[in-house]
Amino acid sequence: QSVLTQPPSASGTPGQSVTISCSGSSSNVGSSSVSWYQHLPGTAPKLLIYWQNQRPSGVPDRFSASKSGTSASLAISGLQSEDEGDYYCSTWDDSLRGRVFGGGTKLTVL
Amino acid sequence: QVQLQESGPGLVKISETLSLICTVSGGSMSPYYWTWIRQPAGKGLEWVGRIYPTGNTDYNPSLKSRISMSLDSVKNHFSLQLKSLTAADTGVYYCARDVPGAIDAFDLWGQGTMVTVSP
């Protein structure tokens, strides 16, 4: 059971938009920045979003994120087939004194 | 550019100790946290623990009794030891750089190394 709750799956057709949620508590999402990672099959996870809504160099602006209270979300617009994979949110948990991940969301591009 | 590479045995036996090393090339180990993250077979990512160049560590509470991490800033590598292995420790182990402050995220990852714990 993950500390952060994500939907196990999400889907969309090419060109559509999809949103993935990440729900936590006051000891994690509510008090720390949230980062998002893309994990494509056979590759290492890749940082997509840090500090709530900042993108590293090279990450397209189709990816955006937001946070409100103890929930965060990742939005992907203009879905492409190469976006298919697993997406994880992560943050620091003050109670556990450690980093935590969401359970991951498997994105399927239909 | 900075790169991370995990190394270690792919197969270990139940009850034994797993030892992994992550070599950091192309950059300094300061001022970052150096982290181990694993993905058990068929499951999501799990934070194992991290070490700072000063030697300070933070460990996953569920694994704390079995973990030890160390860092050698001269050799530019850090290591993980996980003892009393069970089949549940089978999975891919990643090392990653955890950047504190204004980034506060894992910005670099190794390719991962598969570890199988067998009877």
Side-chain angles (χ1 to χ4, degrees):
Chain A
Q1 202 80 339
S2 301
V3 173
L4 307 180
T5 301
Q6 296 181 234
S9 64
S11 63
T13 57
Q16 277 190 333
S17 296
V18 67
T19 299
I20 297 170
S21 62
C22 173
S23 178
S25 68
S26 58
S27 68
N28 44 64
V29 175
S31 56
S32 297
S33 69
V34 176
S35 52
W36 289 90
Y37 302 86
Q38 178 190 59
H39 194 189
L40 303 179
T43 69
K46 171 187 170 184
L47 176 62
L48 270 184
I49 299 283
Y50 64 93
W51 203 253
Q52 263 81 269
N53 60 359
Q54 303 299 306
R55 290 184 309 276
S57 173
V59 174
D61 60 6
R62 302 188 295 107
F63 295 90
S64 63
S66 62
K67 187 180 96 165
S68 178
T70 59
S71 291
S73 61
L74 173 72
I76 309 172
S77 63
L79 268 179
Q80 299 179 2
S81 57
E82 53 261 42
D83 297 334
E84 197 163 89
D86 298 323
Y87 291 80
Y88 295 88
C89 58
S90 178
T91 188
W92 177 263
D93 190 293
D94 287 330
S95 297
L96 297 174
R97 292 293 306 160
R99 293 287 198 188
V100 290
F101 283 99
T105 298
K106 185 174 186 62
L107 174 65
T108 301
V109 181
L110 302 168
Chain B
Q1 78 214 42
V2 181
Q3 294 184 315
L4 284 63
Q5 180 66 58
E6 305 89 349
S7 58
L11 184 65
V12 285
K13 293 190 179 301
I14 287 176
S15 80
E16 293 188 342
T17 296
L18 171 66
S19 294
L20 296 176
I21 289 176
C22 179
T23 300
V24 181
S25 59
S28 170
M29 299 198 79
S30 293
Y32 308 104
Y33 290 98
W34 299 95
T35 299
W36 291 97
I37 294 162
R38 70 180 186 177
Q39 184 171 29
K43 297 187 178 181
L45 299 175
E46 179 182 33
W47 182 77
V48 174
R50 69 182 187 180
I51 186 166
Y52 199 69
T54 56
N56 288 351
T57 55
D58 293 301
Y59 296 148
N60 185 321
S62 68
L63 300 171
K64 192 172 185 176
S65 63
R66 300 195 290 131
I67 292 177
S68 176
M69 294 179 66
S70 62
L71 183 149
D72 187 329
S73 57
V74 173
K75 293 182 178 179
N76 254 36
H77 72 217
F78 63 104
S79 65
L80 167 69
Q81 288 201 318
L82 179 62
K83 64 181 182 183
S84 304
L85 293 172
T86 72
D89 295 311
T90 292
V92 180
Y93 285 71
Y94 297 97
C95 60
R97 186 173 77 174
D98 183 349
V99 185
I103 293 182
D104 197 24
F106 309 112
D107 71 333
L108 291 175
W109 296 67
Q111 284 302 303
T113 186
M114 179 67 203
V115 174
T116 301
V117 181
S118 68

